[in-house]
Amino acid sequence: MESNNLYHHILKYLFLGLGIIMLFTSLLSWFFPELFWVNGEKMAQNIVITLVFGVIGIVCFPIFIAIKDKFVIVKLGGQNVIIKNGEYERKINWMEVESLSLIQFVYPPLYKLKIKGDNKVYWFNTDNEFIKASGFVKDFSDMGDLIQKKKRELGI
């Protein structure tokens, strides 16, 4: 079982895309304010709106840089866990997994994986088979079932 590739890329590049959109909107609101309508009226040039959108866009870029290497593709098997990040591929045994937990309030289900002796934390997603209630997520994918089974067996 392997992480969903589409959701992996969406989650990984979300802040980059959001930052580009916010900066583009900021520039458009300053140079072409007549393109925007607020309460049925054309917007006037406003430095506050331009700065707010610009600052949000600029803040998104460092967030993207900070988290982009945490997102990986994980392939789970009966005995091994394979972690792929671009060209990098690492094969570990289930016994080397220190912790594996579901990150709540993120859809589709996103897991946090920590390996013994490694300070790095990896994030990976499963398929889009989940239930959410009040923000909390319950993963019903086959990969989620295997994770729960391994956590019970190994006491992770």
Side-chain angles (χ1 to χ4, degrees), residues 22-151:
M22 295 302 272
L23 284 175
F24 185 69
T25 303
S26 172
L27 291 172
L28 282 178
S29 74
W30 182 254
F31 292 111
F32 305 104
E34 65 276 356
L35 294 176
F36 297 92
W37 292 75
V38 178
N39 294 330
E41 297 178 12
K42 288 185 180 182
M43 188 175 93
Q45 193 176 39
N46 188 338
I47 190 70
V48 174
I49 292 174
T50 301
L51 287 176
V52 167
F53 278 96
V55 167
I56 292 171
I58 290 170
V59 166
C60 286
F61 289 112
I63 294 172
F64 165 71
I65 291 169
I67 68 172
K68 71 178 172 70
D69 291 332
K70 290 181 184 244
F71 286 100
V72 294
I73 300 276
V74 171
K75 186 174 183 181
L76 301 177
Q79 299 298 321
N80 297 316
V81 177
I82 299 172
I83 300 169
K84 299 177 191 175
N85 191 2
E87 298 294 319
Y88 171 76
E89 187 172 306
R90 181 175 175 186
K91 186 175 183 178
I92 62 166
N93 191 315
W94 272 103
M95 299 303 285
E96 296 177 52
V97 174
E98 182 178 324
S99 68
L100 180 59
S101 59
L102 180 65
I103 299 173
Q104 295 296 329
F105 306 106
V106 179
Y107 321 114
L110 186 66
Y111 285 87
K112 179 173 62 172
L113 171 69
K114 181 145 175 52
I115 300 169
K116 293 176 184 174
D118 191 359
N119 292 333
K120 210 168 181 188
V121 174
Y122 301 101
W123 294 342
F124 68 95
N125 60 299
T126 60
D127 284 324
N128 194 17
E129 298 174 20
F130 64 94
I131 291 179
K132 63 179 180 173
S134 300
F136 293 96
V137 179
K138 174 70 175 155
D139 187 7
F140 287 109
S141 67
D142 292 337
M143 195 172 185
D145 291 340
L146 178 62
I147 290 169
Q148 293 306 317
K149 179 183 169 195
K150 287 294 186 180
K151 284 178 71 169

